[in-house]
Amino acid sequence: MVNIASANREALIAQSICGTILKGNWKNILKHKLDSGLLTSSITTQVLSELSSYGGPSLALSFFTWSDSIPSCKHTLQSSWKMILILTKHNHFKTAHQLLDKWSQRELLSSPLVLRSLLNGVSEDPEVLSHVFSWMIIYYAKSGMIRDSIEVFEQIRSCGLRPHLQACTVLLNSLVKERLTDSVWKVFKKMGKLGVVANIHLYNVLVHACSKSGDPERAEKLLSEMEERGVFPDLFTYNTLISVYCRKGMHYEALSVQDRMQRSGIGPDIVTYNSLLHGTNDIDEALRLREVMEARGFSPGVVTYNSILRKLCEDGRIREANRLLTEMSGKKIEPDNITCNTLINAYCKIGDMVSAVKVKKKMVDSGLNHDMYSYKALIHGFCKALEMDNAKEELFSMLEKGLSPGYSTYSWLVDGFYDQNKQDEISKLPEEFEKRGLCPDVALYRGLIRRICKLEQVDHAKVLLDSMEKKGLMGDSVIYTTMGYAYWRTGKVTEASALFDIMYNRRLMVNLKLYKSLSASYAGDNEVLRFFWSHVGDRSLISKSILRDMNRSEVL
């Protein structure tokens, strides 16, 4: 009874306020009452609803704006939500959108509890609600808050509301950018069940998803579905599909798409030709495509030249690659990092380190920065040429730039020193790091120890491990498991067990990534690996889920 009486009282107050406003000069009449704290959120919501019925959104908005300027009458989400719905219903989209953005920044509107209250707390035209919630989906997706965007989508879906096509497109596009391909298809399927009809823009997002995941079969199915539904592919659709096929090395299929594209009246552009060039395995075909491009008025840029350069270098046609560079220079086309890295890698592969270093210098002179690929190619080349001092210099430069070498880089250094029978130089590397002001971390020791164990020099690996621990650095699961297996496969079970004791005491576990990596590295040791992993399991150093995978032979 108390609640009914309170509701009736609020309704009377709301009617009284509306009557006062409709009579005119209401700001002065109401100010005294409002300052006394009379206007609650519930009453404000009722007033807004009544005013919109009498005077449309303008009068309601005037009251909303005015009352918000009074300290005791700051609007809550309830009253603001009502104002947003009123504005949307009367097509005042810009103002409604601004108010919604303001609240989206202040409150977590995507919370399931808040969303349910917003959906259940009002009785509105479903189209109005769909419009507002579609804005929320777009806001969160564009803000990088994809989980929140999906939460809004799921909540309105559960209420039978249909999000607008633009909101669906923006949400899917955000999922594609984050490479959440599985989620793309799940959300798209749900959209279809809600009656959302895809247009060319949404289909292009889906084709782009196929490109990101490297799935030409699905992309082809989408193209067929588009044609069946009367949605005509555009230049972006065809270019994306051509790119998918080219990256998969399916050149015939890429050319078939180009043919279909031209038959539909859409001419190729420079993106089309660059994709075809990039996926061309035949250098003569690549050069022919470039001639076609130029004949049709397209000027090849650095992307085009890089594709041809890559093929020439792969085929060992270095002289022709240099002639191509001269041609680029004549046409005022500036090489980029890809151009230079392609050449550096090509020279390193044939052992011409003098030319590789010249290209490196030209990069610096032209204002280009060396990246991970530049350094790795040079380190690999110097190690193959057994120019180990130069290889170390590149390593130190790489580290000083804040780049992480990785296991392969350290492997090349280890192999180079072993080929020169200078194993002691490997042990000196941490000291050289310190002299350069660099910190020899676990990653350094891990890379060195892994490769040394692979070369079946586990005693040398143990020396490095001891040196590492004297510096206060503790080994990790990768180091102990790798050394444990190196001991195990040479019959030194006692030494392996001692390492497993350390792992157990320090609660170091073998995870799935480590399990797969070590198994792949020693793929030929099937029986030895099987007994080794069984022993590791018996020592409780591997999770039960991985053990189940082993037993079902799903991972091995």
Side-chain angles (χ1 to χ4, degrees):
M1 291 295 291
V2 174
N3 288 338
I4 295 173
S6 177
N8 288 336
R9 178 176 174 275
E10 287 184 347
L12 289 172
I13 294 171
Q15 288 172 6
S16 173
I17 292 172
C18 286
T20 303
I21 291 170
L22 292 170
K23 287 176 183 177
N25 200 25
W26 44 278
K27 296 181 182 179
N28 293 331
I29 298 171
L30 289 177
K31 192 172 189 313
H32 175 71
K33 291 183 178 179
L34 298 186
D35 277 338
S36 66
L38 172 70
L39 202 60
T40 64
S41 176
S42 177
I43 292 173
T44 302
T45 304
Q46 291 183 54
V47 170
L48 290 171
S49 183
E50 294 269 346
L51 289 177
S52 67
S53 300
Y54 289 116
S58 298
L59 189 58
L61 182 60
S62 295
F63 172 73
F64 180 86
T65 305
W66 173 76
S67 58
D68 195 44
S69 67
I70 299 172
S72 61
C73 301
K74 291 300 179 184
H75 292 301
T76 63
L77 177 57
Q78 180 189 9
S79 57
S80 297
W81 183 250
K82 185 62 183 178
M83 190 69 249
I84 291 167
L85 295 177
I86 291 169
L87 290 166
T88 305
K89 183 176 182 179
H90 291 85
N91 299 330
H92 287 230
F93 298 134
K94 183 178 179 181
T95 309
H97 204 164
Q98 289 172 343
L99 186 55
L100 181 63
D101 279 358
K102 177 183 174 183
W103 273 97
S104 296
Q105 293 166 16
R106 286 170 53 183
E107 299 284 340
L108 190 62
L109 301 184
S110 60
S111 159
L113 188 63
V114 174
L115 284 172
R116 282 194 290 270
S117 70
L118 295 177
L119 281 162
N120 300 330
V122 293
S123 177
E124 278 290 342
D125 178 358
E127 182 54 34
V128 172
L129 289 171
S130 292
H131 209 128
V132 176
F133 281 109
S134 292
W135 282 339
M136 289 174 66
I137 291 172
I138 292 170
Y139 172 82
Y140 285 122
K142 286 187 173 181
S143 300
M145 302 166 70
I146 297 177
R147 288 181 181 273
D148 300 84
S149 187
I150 291 175
E151 188 62 51
V152 177
F153 172 81
E154 291 293 351
Q155 284 295 326
I156 66 172
R157 184 179 73 88
S158 66
C159 295
L161 296 173
R162 183 170 63 197
H164 289 186
L165 179 60
Q166 183 192 3
C168 295
T169 306
V170 171
L171 173 56
L172 288 174
N173 192 46
S174 297
L175 291 169
V176 172
K177 285 180 178 178
E178 294 297 319
R179 297 184 180 273
L180 300 171
T181 312
D182 289 342
S183 298
V184 170
W185 303 115
K186 289 176 183 176
V187 172
F188 175 61
K189 185 177 181 181
K190 292 173 182 177
M191 289 174 180
K193 289 182 179 179
L194 289 171
V196 177
V197 179
N199 62 5
I200 182 61
H201 302 296
L202 193 144
Y203 273 117
N204 278 344
V205 170
L206 296 176
V207 173
H208 191 210
C210 297
S211 174
K212 288 274 191 178
S213 60
D215 191 346
E217 291 80 10
R218 195 163 208 163
E220 188 63 44
K221 287 178 183 177
L222 278 173
L223 197 62
S224 300
E225 182 182 312
M226 290 170 68
E227 291 169 345
E228 287 173 8
R229 296 186 178 184
V231 180
F232 298 105
D234 61 11
L235 182 60
F236 179 88
T237 320
Y238 286 120
N239 277 347
T240 307
L241 191 53
I242 287 170
S243 176
V244 174
Y245 280 128
C246 286
R247 285 206 300 273
K248 283 286 185 178
M250 303 167 72
H251 191 58
Y252 174 79
E253 288 81 358
L255 290 173
S256 298
V257 173
Q258 184 198 8
D259 181 61
R260 187 194 304 187
M261 169 184 174
Q262 290 179 303
R263 282 190 281 108
S264 68
I266 299 174
D269 65 357
I270 196 164
V271 175
T272 317
Y273 287 117
N274 282 338
S275 294
L276 290 169
L277 279 164
H278 186 76
T280 302
N281 292 321
D282 184 351
I283 184 60
D284 295 324
E285 173 65 12
L287 294 170
R288 186 194 69 78
L289 278 170
R290 189 186 66 165
E291 289 177 3
V292 172
M293 284 176 66
E294 292 175 326
R296 295 190 177 180
F298 296 111
S299 299
V302 68
V303 175
T304 307
Y305 278 100
N306 282 345
S307 297
I308 298 171
L309 187 70
R310 176 178 59 86
K311 283 307 304 170
L312 288 171
C313 290
E314 284 175 358
D315 293 349
R317 295 159 68 171
I318 304 298
R319 287 185 180 178
E320 291 174 66
N322 280 312
R323 284 200 293 270
L324 194 70
L325 281 174
T326 303
E327 182 182 319
M328 288 175 67
S329 178
K331 292 183 177 182
K332 307 298 182 187
I333 298 172
E334 292 292 332
D336 61 8
N337 270 58
I338 294 174
T339 317
C340 298
N341 285 342
T342 301
L343 282 169
I344 288 173
N345 191 49
Y347 283 126
C348 288
K349 280 185 176 179
I350 62 173
D352 186 355
M353 298 310 297
V354 173
S355 296
V357 171
K358 284 181 180 177
V359 177
K360 171 193 171 183
K361 186 177 182 303
K362 285 181 181 178
M363 282 183 76
V364 176
D365 293 343
S366 61
L368 296 173
N369 292 319
H370 298 150
D371 57 20
M372 178 76 75
Y373 303 103
S374 319
Y375 286 114
K376 281 194 170 184
L378 287 164
I379 292 169
H380 192 203
F382 281 128
C383 287
K384 280 175 64 181
L386 300 181
E387 297 181 29
M388 301 309 295
D389 287 341
N390 288 330
K392 286 192 294 182
E393 285 302 318
E394 295 298 335
L395 172 67
F396 294 138
S397 297
M398 182 183 190
L399 289 161
E400 285 163 1
K401 288 279 183 70
L403 300 172
S404 300
Y407 170 62
S408 59
T409 308
Y410 290 126
S411 295
W412 299 327
L413 287 162
V414 169
D415 289 350
F417 283 123
Y418 265 90
D419 287 343
Q420 289 185 319
N421 200 27
K422 293 182 178 179
Q423 293 89 330
D424 290 346
E425 295 296 318
I426 300 171
S427 302
K428 294 176 184 177
L429 269 176
E431 293 178 15
E432 292 188 57
F433 268 56
E434 291 173 346
K435 289 178 182 177
R436 295 284 187 129
L438 299 168
C439 179
D441 58 6
V442 175
L444 166 65
Y445 286 99
R446 185 194 301 127
L448 298 176
I449 288 171
R450 282 180 65 190
R451 188 58 183 173
I452 291 169
C453 287
K454 184 68 176 174
L455 296 176
E456 300 182 354
Q457 300 294 323
V458 67
D459 291 336
H460 185 192
K462 181 65 166 62
V463 171
L464 271 176
L465 177 63
D466 292 343
S467 170
M468 169 187 170
E469 293 184 337
K470 284 178 183 177
K471 292 180 182 293
L473 294 172
M474 303 300 290
D476 60 10
S477 297
V478 177
I479 291 174
Y480 287 122
T481 307
T482 302
M483 288 186 61
Y485 184 68
Y487 279 129
W488 185 275
R489 72 195 301 263
T490 55
K492 297 181 178 180
V493 178
T494 303
E495 288 85 347
S497 293
L499 291 176
F500 295 150
D501 288 340
I502 295 172
M503 289 181 69
Y504 183 82
N505 292 333
R506 291 183 52 203
R507 301 296 186 265
L508 296 176
M509 296 288 288
V510 175
N511 59 23
L512 184 59
K513 183 179 178 181
L514 173 54
Y515 171 74
K516 285 185 174 182
S517 174
L518 192 67
S519 297
S521 295
Y522 298 91
D525 295 1
N526 289 336
E527 282 301 306
V528 180
L529 274 171
R530 188 169 64 82
F531 283 113
F532 174 74
W533 289 127
S534 177
H535 181 72
V536 172
D538 292 341
R539 298 293 299 269
S540 302
L541 297 174
I542 193 166
S543 72
K544 292 181 179 179
S545 61
I546 297 177
L547 284 173
R548 283 197 298 271
D549 284 341
M550 289 167 57
N551 293 332
R552 291 196 301 264
S553 297
E554 290 182 0
V555 179
L556 279 173

Coordinates of all heavy atoms in Angstrom, one line a residue, residues 416-467:
G416 N 77.8 -21.2 -35.2 CA 79.0 -20.5 -35.7 C 80.2 -20.8 -34.9 O 81.3 -21.1 -35.4
F417 N 80.1 -20.6 -33.5 CA 81.2 -20.8 -32.6 C 81.6 -22.3 -32.6 O 82.8 -22.6 -32.5 CB 80.9 -20.3 -31.2 CG 80.9 -18.8 -31.1 CD1 79.8 -18.1 -30.7 CD2 82.1 -18.2 -31.4 CE1 79.9 -16.7 -30.6 CE2 82.2 -16.8 -31.3 CZ 81.1 -16.0 -30.9
Y418 N 80.6 -23.2 -32.6 CA 81.0 -24.6 -32.6 C 81.7 -25.0 -33.9 O 82.6 -25.8 -33.9 CB 79.7 -25.5 -32.4 CG 79.5 -25.9 -31.0 CD1 78.8 -25.1 -30.1 CD2 80.1 -27.0 -30.5 CE1 78.6 -25.4 -28.8 CE2 79.9 -27.4 -29.1 CZ 79.1 -26.6 -28.3 OH 79.0 -26.9 -27.0
D419 N 81.3 -24.4 -35.1 CA 81.9 -24.7 -36.3 C 83.4 -24.3 -36.3 O 84.2 -24.8 -37.0 CB 81.2 -24.0 -37.5 CG 79.8 -24.7 -37.8 OD1 79.7 -25.8 -37.4 OD2 79.0 -24.1 -38.5
Q420 N 83.7 -23.2 -35.5 CA 85.0 -22.7 -35.4 C 85.8 -23.4 -34.3 O 87.0 -23.1 -34.0 CB 85.0 -21.2 -35.2 CG 84.6 -20.4 -36.4 CD 84.8 -18.9 -36.1 OE1 84.4 -18.4 -35.1 NE2 85.3 -18.2 -37.1
N421 N 85.1 -24.3 -33.6 CA 85.7 -25.0 -32.4 C 86.0 -23.9 -31.3 O 87.1 -24.0 -30.7 CB 86.9 -25.8 -32.8 CG 87.2 -26.8 -31.7 OD1 86.3 -27.3 -31.0 ND2 88.5 -27.2 -31.6
K422 N 85.2 -22.9 -31.2 CA 85.4 -21.9 -30.2 C 84.3 -21.8 -29.2 O 83.6 -20.8 -29.0 CB 85.6 -20.5 -30.9 CG 86.8 -20.4 -31.7 CD 86.9 -19.0 -32.3 CE 88.2 -18.8 -33.1 NZ 88.3 -17.5 -33.8
Q423 N 84.0 -23.0 -28.6 CA 82.9 -23.1 -27.7 C 83.0 -22.1 -26.5 O 82.0 -21.6 -25.9 CB 82.7 -24.5 -27.1 CG 82.3 -25.5 -28.2 CD 83.5 -26.1 -28.9 OE1 84.5 -25.5 -29.1 NE2 83.4 -27.3 -29.4
D424 N 84.2 -21.8 -26.1 CA 84.4 -20.9 -24.9 C 83.9 -19.5 -25.2 O 83.5 -18.8 -24.2 CB 85.9 -20.8 -24.6 CG 86.5 -22.1 -24.0 OD1 85.6 -23.0 -23.6 OD2 87.7 -22.3 -23.9
E425 N 83.8 -19.1 -26.4 CA 83.3 -17.8 -26.8 C 81.8 -17.7 -26.4 O 81.3 -16.6 -26.1 CB 83.5 -17.5 -28.3 CG 84.9 -17.4 -28.7 CD 85.6 -16.3 -28.1 OE1 85.0 -15.2 -28.0 OE2 86.8 -16.4 -27.7
I426 N 81.1 -18.8 -26.4 CA 79.7 -18.8 -26.1 C 79.5 -18.5 -24.6 O 78.7 -17.6 -24.2 CB 79.0 -20.2 -26.4 CG1 79.1 -20.5 -27.9 CG2 77.6 -20.2 -25.9 CD1 78.7 -21.9 -28.2
S427 N 80.4 -19.0 -23.8 CA 80.3 -18.8 -22.3 C 80.7 -17.3 -22.0 O 80.3 -16.8 -20.9 CB 81.3 -19.7 -21.6 OG 80.9 -21.1 -21.9
K428 N 81.4 -16.7 -22.9 CA 81.8 -15.3 -22.6 C 80.8 -14.3 -23.0 O 80.9 -13.1 -22.7 CB 83.1 -15.0 -23.4 CG 84.4 -15.8 -22.9 CD 85.6 -15.5 -23.8 CE 86.8 -16.3 -23.5 NZ 87.9 -16.0 -24.4
L429 N 79.8 -14.7 -23.8 CA 78.7 -13.8 -24.3 C 78.1 -13.0 -23.1 O 77.9 -11.8 -23.3 CB 77.7 -14.6 -25.1 CG 77.9 -14.7 -26.6 CD1 76.8 -15.5 -27.2 CD2 78.0 -13.3 -27.2
P430 N 77.6 -13.6 -22.0 CA 77.0 -12.9 -21.0 C 77.9 -11.7 -20.4 O 77.4 -10.6 -20.1 CB 76.7 -13.9 -19.9 CG 76.6 -15.2 -20.6 CD 77.6 -15.1 -21.7
E431 N 79.2 -12.0 -20.3 CA 80.2 -11.0 -19.9 C 80.2 -9.8 -20.9 O 80.3 -8.6 -20.5 CB 81.6 -11.6 -19.7 CG 81.6 -12.6 -18.5 CD 83.0 -13.2 -18.4 OE1 84.0 -12.6 -19.0 OE2 83.2 -14.2 -17.7
E432 N 80.2 -10.2 -22.2 CA 80.2 -9.1 -23.2 C 79.0 -8.3 -23.2 O 79.0 -7.1 -23.4 CB 80.4 -9.8 -24.6 CG 81.8 -10.4 -24.8 CD 82.0 -10.9 -26.2 OE1 81.9 -10.0 -27.1 OE2 82.3 -12.1 -26.4
F433 N 77.9 -8.9 -22.8 CA 76.6 -8.2 -22.7 C 76.8 -7.1 -21.6 O 76.4 -5.9 -21.8 CB 75.5 -9.1 -22.2 CG 74.7 -9.7 -23.4 CD1 75.3 -10.4 -24.4 CD2 73.3 -9.6 -23.4 CE1 74.6 -11.0 -25.4 CE2 72.6 -10.1 -24.4 CZ 73.2 -10.8 -25.5
E434 N 77.4 -7.5 -20.5 CA 77.5 -6.6 -19.3 C 78.5 -5.4 -19.7 O 78.2 -4.3 -19.3 CB 78.0 -7.3 -18.1 CG 77.0 -8.3 -17.6 CD 77.6 -9.2 -16.5 OE1 78.8 -9.2 -16.3 OE2 76.8 -9.8 -15.7
K435 N 79.5 -5.7 -20.4 CA 80.5 -4.7 -20.9 C 79.8 -3.7 -21.7 O 80.2 -2.5 -21.8 CB 81.7 -5.3 -21.6 CG 82.6 -6.1 -20.7 CD 83.7 -6.7 -21.5 CE 84.7 -7.6 -20.5 NZ 85.7 -8.3 -21.3
R436 N 78.8 -4.1 -22.5 CA 78.1 -3.2 -23.4 C 76.9 -2.5 -22.7 O 76.2 -1.7 -23.3 CB 77.5 -4.0 -24.6 CG 78.5 -4.6 -25.5 CD 79.1 -3.6 -26.4 NE 80.0 -4.2 -27.4 CZ 79.9 -3.9 -28.7 NH1 79.0 -3.1 -29.1 NH2 80.8 -4.5 -29.5
G437 N 76.8 -2.7 -21.4 CA 75.7 -2.1 -20.7 C 74.4 -2.8 -20.9 O 73.3 -2.3 -20.6
L438 N 74.4 -4.0 -21.4 CA 73.2 -4.8 -21.6 C 73.1 -5.9 -20.5 O 74.1 -6.3 -19.9 CB 73.3 -5.5 -23.0 CG 73.4 -4.6 -24.2 CD1 73.8 -5.5 -25.4 CD2 72.1 -3.9 -24.4
C439 N 71.9 -6.2 -20.2 CA 71.6 -7.2 -19.1 C 71.4 -8.6 -19.7 O 70.5 -8.8 -20.5 CB 70.3 -6.7 -18.4 SG 69.9 -7.9 -17.0
P440 N 72.3 -9.5 -19.3 CA 72.2 -10.9 -19.8 C 71.0 -11.5 -19.0 O 71.1 -11.8 -17.8 CB 73.5 -11.5 -19.4 CG 74.1 -10.7 -18.3 CD 73.5 -9.3 -18.5
D441 N 69.9 -11.7 -19.7 CA 68.7 -12.2 -19.0 C 68.5 -13.7 -19.2 O 69.3 -14.3 -19.9 CB 67.5 -11.4 -19.4 CG 67.3 -11.4 -20.9 OD1 68.0 -12.2 -21.6 OD2 66.4 -10.7 -21.4
V442 N 67.4 -14.2 -18.7 CA 67.1 -15.6 -18.9 C 66.9 -16.0 -20.3 O 67.3 -17.1 -20.8 CB 65.8 -16.0 -18.1 CG1 65.4 -17.4 -18.3 CG2 66.0 -15.7 -16.6
A443 N 66.4 -15.0 -21.1 CA 66.1 -15.3 -22.6 C 67.5 -15.7 -23.3 O 67.5 -16.5 -24.2 CB 65.5 -14.1 -23.2
L444 N 68.5 -14.9 -22.9 CA 69.8 -15.2 -23.5 C 70.3 -16.6 -23.2 O 70.7 -17.4 -24.1 CB 70.9 -14.2 -23.0 CG 72.3 -14.5 -23.3 CD1 72.6 -14.5 -24.7 CD2 73.3 -13.6 -22.5
Y445 N 70.3 -17.0 -21.9 CA 70.7 -18.3 -21.5 C 69.8 -19.4 -22.0 O 70.3 -20.4 -22.4 CB 70.8 -18.4 -19.9 CG 71.9 -17.6 -19.3 CD1 71.7 -16.3 -18.8 CD2 73.2 -18.2 -19.2 CE1 72.8 -15.6 -18.2 CE2 74.3 -17.5 -18.7 CZ 74.0 -16.2 -18.1 OH 75.1 -15.5 -17.6
R446 N 68.5 -19.1 -22.1 CA 67.6 -20.1 -22.6 C 67.9 -20.4 -24.0 O 68.0 -21.6 -24.4 CB 66.2 -19.6 -22.5 CG 65.1 -20.6 -22.9 CD 63.8 -20.0 -23.1 NE 63.3 -19.3 -21.9 CZ 62.9 -18.0 -21.8 NH1 63.0 -17.3 -22.9 NH2 62.5 -17.5 -20.7
G447 N 68.2 -19.4 -24.8 CA 68.5 -19.6 -26.3 C 69.8 -20.4 -26.5 O 69.8 -21.3 -27.3
L448 N 70.8 -20.0 -25.7 CA 72.1 -20.7 -25.8 C 72.0 -22.2 -25.3 O 72.5 -23.1 -26.0 CB 73.1 -20.0 -25.0 CG 73.4 -18.5 -25.4 CD1 74.4 -17.9 -24.4 CD2 74.0 -18.4 -26.8
I449 N 71.4 -22.4 -24.2 CA 71.3 -23.7 -23.6 C 70.5 -24.6 -24.5 O 70.9 -25.8 -24.7 CB 70.7 -23.6 -22.2 CG1 71.8 -23.0 -21.2 CG2 70.3 -25.0 -21.7 CD1 71.2 -22.7 -19.8
R450 N 69.4 -24.1 -25.0 CA 68.5 -25.0 -25.9 C 69.3 -25.5 -27.1 O 69.3 -26.7 -27.4 CB 67.3 -24.2 -26.4 CG 66.2 -24.1 -25.4 CD 65.1 -23.3 -26.0 NE 64.4 -24.0 -27.1 CZ 63.5 -23.4 -27.9 NH1 63.2 -22.2 -27.8 NH2 63.0 -24.1 -28.9
R451 N 70.1 -24.6 -27.7 CA 70.8 -25.0 -28.9 C 72.0 -25.9 -28.6 O 72.3 -26.9 -29.3 CB 71.3 -23.8 -29.7 CG 72.0 -24.1 -31.0 CD 71.0 -24.8 -31.9 NE 71.6 -25.2 -33.2 CZ 70.9 -26.0 -34.1 NH1 69.7 -26.4 -33.9 NH2 71.5 -26.3 -35.2
I452 N 72.7 -25.6 -27.5 CA 73.8 -26.5 -27.1 C 73.3 -27.9 -26.8 O 74.0 -28.9 -27.1 CB 74.5 -25.9 -25.9 CG1 75.2 -24.6 -26.3 CG2 75.5 -26.8 -25.2 CD1 75.7 -23.7 -25.1
C453 N 72.1 -28.0 -26.1 CA 71.6 -29.3 -25.9 C 71.2 -30.0 -27.1 O 71.4 -31.3 -27.3 CB 70.3 -29.2 -25.0 SG 70.7 -28.8 -23.3
K454 N 70.7 -29.3 -28.1 CA 70.4 -29.9 -29.4 C 71.6 -30.5 -30.1 O 71.6 -31.5 -30.8 CB 69.7 -28.8 -30.3 CG 69.2 -29.4 -31.6 CD 68.1 -30.3 -31.5 CE 67.6 -30.7 -32.9 NZ 66.5 -31.8 -32.8
L455 N 72.8 -29.8 -29.8 CA 74.1 -30.3 -30.4 C 74.7 -31.4 -29.5 O 75.8 -31.8 -29.7 CB 75.0 -29.1 -30.5 CG 74.7 -28.0 -31.5 CD1 75.7 -26.9 -31.4 CD2 74.5 -28.5 -32.9
E456 N 73.9 -31.9 -28.5 CA 74.3 -33.0 -27.6 C 75.5 -32.6 -26.8 O 76.4 -33.5 -26.5 CB 74.5 -34.3 -28.4 CG 73.3 -34.7 -29.2 CD 73.5 -36.0 -29.9 OE1 74.6 -36.5 -30.0 OE2 72.5 -36.5 -30.5
Q457 N 75.6 -31.4 -26.4 CA 76.7 -30.9 -25.6 C 76.1 -30.5 -24.2 O 76.3 -29.4 -23.8 CB 77.4 -29.8 -26.2 CG 78.0 -30.1 -27.6 CD 79.1 -31.1 -27.5 OE1 79.9 -31.1 -26.6 NE2 79.2 -32.0 -28.5
V458 N 75.4 -31.4 -23.5 CA 74.7 -31.0 -22.3 C 75.7 -30.6 -21.2 O 75.3 -29.8 -20.3 CB 73.8 -32.2 -21.9 CG1 74.6 -33.4 -21.4 CG2 72.8 -31.7 -20.8
D459 N 76.9 -31.1 -21.1 CA 77.8 -30.7 -20.1 C 78.2 -29.3 -20.2 O 78.3 -28.5 -19.2 CB 79.1 -31.6 -20.2 CG 78.8 -33.0 -19.8 OD1 77.9 -33.3 -19.0 OD2 79.6 -33.9 -20.2
H460 N 78.3 -28.8 -21.5 CA 78.6 -27.4 -21.7 C 77.3 -26.5 -21.3 O 77.5 -25.5 -20.7 CB 78.9 -27.1 -23.2 CG 79.2 -25.7 -23.5 ND1 79.3 -25.3 -24.8 CD2 79.5 -24.7 -22.7 CE1 79.6 -24.0 -24.8 NE2 79.8 -23.6 -23.6
A461 N 76.1 -27.1 -21.5 CA 74.9 -26.4 -21.1 C 74.9 -26.3 -19.6 O 74.4 -25.2 -19.1 CB 73.7 -27.2 -21.6
K462 N 75.4 -27.3 -18.9 CA 75.4 -27.3 -17.4 C 76.3 -26.2 -16.9 O 76.0 -25.5 -15.9 CB 75.8 -28.6 -16.9 CG 75.8 -28.7 -15.4 CD 74.4 -28.6 -14.8 CE 74.4 -29.1 -13.3 NZ 75.2 -28.3 -12.4
V463 N 77.4 -26.0 -17.6 CA 78.3 -24.9 -17.2 C 77.6 -23.5 -17.3 O 77.8 -22.7 -16.4 CB 79.6 -24.9 -18.1 CG1 80.5 -23.7 -17.9 CG2 80.4 -26.2 -17.9
L464 N 76.9 -23.4 -18.4 CA 76.2 -22.1 -18.6 C 75.1 -21.9 -17.5 O 74.9 -20.8 -17.0 CB 75.5 -22.1 -20.0 CG 76.4 -21.5 -21.1 CD1 75.6 -21.6 -22.4 CD2 76.7 -20.0 -20.9
L465 N 74.4 -23.0 -17.2 CA 73.3 -23.0 -16.2 C 73.9 -22.6 -14.8 O 73.4 -21.7 -14.1 CB 72.6 -24.3 -16.1 CG 71.5 -24.4 -15.0 CD1 70.4 -23.4 -15.3 CD2 71.0 -25.9 -14.9
D466 N 75.0 -23.2 -14.5 CA 75.7 -22.8 -13.2 C 76.1 -21.4 -13.2 O 75.9 -20.7 -12.2 CB 76.9 -23.7 -13.0 CG 76.5 -25.2 -12.7 OD1 75.4 -25.4 -12.4 OD2 77.4 -26.1 -12.9
S467 N 76.7 -20.9 -14.3 CA 77.1 -19.5 -14.4 C 75.9 -18.6 -14.3 O 76.0 -17.5 -13.6 CB 77.8 -19.3 -15.8 OG 78.0 -17.9 -16.0

